[in-house]
């Protein structure tokens, strides 16, 4: 069965410092990996995805993520965090050829960027 | 602005009421989803419609009844809900025609916050 883990419930970072949100996955087969962000009282917004190709994926709002197959990780990064990046972040995986069109989400990581 | 529109934004209902949640998208997507989300938790998939046919039902209680009248609309009919059903209900859509379902991101609405008295 596929699963996604986000080992940190919360990440605190000062504005201007690098931000990293960790994600590891466990799947049978090739993973399709996604990052979403959720602001208070809003739905989830798509940030980026890894399907195949370059291990470094660039996405919206200056975010990027690095796919590491040997470590089964897909950590989200931003070189310089903004206060407005404070939100709830979800990593998700979909497995090729899995029944249906399902995402498995990690438990979420709350990011707090302090001025 | 979100491209998936959900109404109403908030709904308070008693356990004997019948109500419906509505979702609309005009991106030509062929897959639509209902999720339930509790506070500070990840969304839990409830239903998936592919090309207007129900393709996944995640063992959801029958008090939740989905309907897909056409390719742009998705409803969730509610009846005899329980207090534990109070949550944020999110609709999402994905996959334009001709694109693989499995590698397309889902686009979410802002949800309906449901409270059961």
């Amino acid at each position: 069965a596929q699963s996604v883990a986000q080992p940190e419930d919360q990440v605190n970072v000062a504005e201007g410092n690098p931000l990293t949100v960790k994600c590891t996955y466990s799947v049978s087969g090739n993973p399709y990996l996604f990052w979403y962000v959720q602001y208070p009282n809003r739905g989830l917004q798509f940030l980026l995805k890894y399907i195949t190709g370059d291990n470094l994926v660039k996405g919206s709002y200056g975010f990027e993520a690095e796919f590491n197959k040997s470590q089964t990780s897909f950590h989200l990064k931003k070189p310089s965090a903004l206060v407005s990046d404070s939100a709830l972040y979800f990593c998700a995986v979909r497995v090729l050829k899995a029944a249906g069109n399902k995402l498995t989400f990690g438990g979420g990581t709350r990011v707090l960027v302090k001025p | 602005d979100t491209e998936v529109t959900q109404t109403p934004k908030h709904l308070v209902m008693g356990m004997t009421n019948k109500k419906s949640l509505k979702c609309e998208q005009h991106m030509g997507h062929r897959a639509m989803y209902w999720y339930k989300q509790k506070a500070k938790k990840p969304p839990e998939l409830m239903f998936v419609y592919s090309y207007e046919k129900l393709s996944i039902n995640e063992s959801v209680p029958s008090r939740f009844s989905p309907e897909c009248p056409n390719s742009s609309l998705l409803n969730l009919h509610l009846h005899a809900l329980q207090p534990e059903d109070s949550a944020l209900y999110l609709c999402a859509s994905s996959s334009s025609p001709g694109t693989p379902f499995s590698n397309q991101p889902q686009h979410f609405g802002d949800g309906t916050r449901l409270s059961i008295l």
Side-chain angles (χ1 to χ4, degrees):
Chain A
Q2 60 196 62
S3 65
V4 179
Q6 294 180 240
E8 300 158 315
D9 289 337
Q10 181 161 325
V11 169
N12 297 318
V13 63
E15 187 174 32
N17 281 2
L19 169 63
T20 298
V21 186
K22 296 180 180 177
C23 172
T24 58
Y25 64 90
S26 174
V27 300
S28 305
N30 294 320
Y32 287 176
L33 295 157
F34 301 81
W35 274 103
Y36 289 85
V37 61
Q38 187 175 29
Y39 297 98
N41 301 313
R42 301 297 302 274
L44 278 68
Q45 295 180 31
F46 168 70
L47 284 177
L48 51 80
K49 67 180 181 181
Y50 172 81
I51 304 301
T52 187
D54 274 345
N55 290 340
L56 185 63
V57 179
K58 294 191 182 297
S60 306
Y61 313 120
F63 284 95
E64 59 188 29
E66 185 167 11
F67 173 68
N68 188 317
K69 188 171 185 177
S70 63
Q71 297 186 6
T72 62
S73 67
F74 189 55
H75 301 329
L76 181 71
K77 300 181 181 183
K78 187 171 184 179
S80 177
L82 301 173
V83 172
S84 57
D85 293 327
S86 299
L88 186 57
Y89 290 78
F90 291 103
C91 182
V93 65
R94 180 184 296 132
V95 177
L96 185 63
K97 297 183 181 178
N101 192 26
K102 295 172 58 173
L103 286 175
T104 296
F105 287 93
T109 299
R110 183 177 177 223
V111 169
L112 185 59
V113 182
K114 297 181 179 179
Chain B
D1 289 339
T2 183
E3 296 168 315
V4 176
T5 303
Q6 292 189 243
T7 56
K9 293 190 184 304
H10 302 275
L11 180 61
V12 179
M13 56 187 288
M15 289 189 283
T16 58
N17 292 156
K18 288 184 180 181
K19 296 286 185 182
S20 297
L21 309 184
K22 296 185 183 300
C23 174
E24 189 167 5
Q25 59 89 12
H26 293 289
M27 295 177 282
H29 287 168
R30 294 313 193 187
M32 296 186 76
Y33 314 76
W34 280 115
Y35 289 88
K36 173 183 178 181
Q37 186 181 27
K38 291 283 200 179
K40 301 182 182 178
K41 298 293 186 182
E44 301 170 23
L45 183 66
M46 300 174 73
F47 303 103
V48 180
Y49 274 82
S50 298
Y51 290 94
E52 302 164 47
K53 294 190 186 312
L54 183 64
S55 61
I56 296 177
N57 177 341
E58 290 287 272
S59 303
V60 179
S62 60
R63 59 185 184 267
F64 295 92
S65 176
E67 177 195 21
C68 189
N70 60 55
S71 59
S72 299
L73 293 175
L74 187 65
N75 298 322
L76 186 63
H77 303 299
L78 314 173
H79 174 54
L81 295 194
Q82 304 298 308
E84 61 265 27
D85 297 323
S86 297
L88 180 68
Y89 288 83
L90 293 166
C91 174
S93 70
S94 73
S95 311
S96 300
T99 61
F101 271 36
S102 58
N103 67 13
Q104 300 303 308
Q106 295 179 17
H107 297 253
F108 286 80
D110 285 336
T112 293
R113 190 162 299 281
L114 178 64
S115 298
I116 307 300
L117 301 179

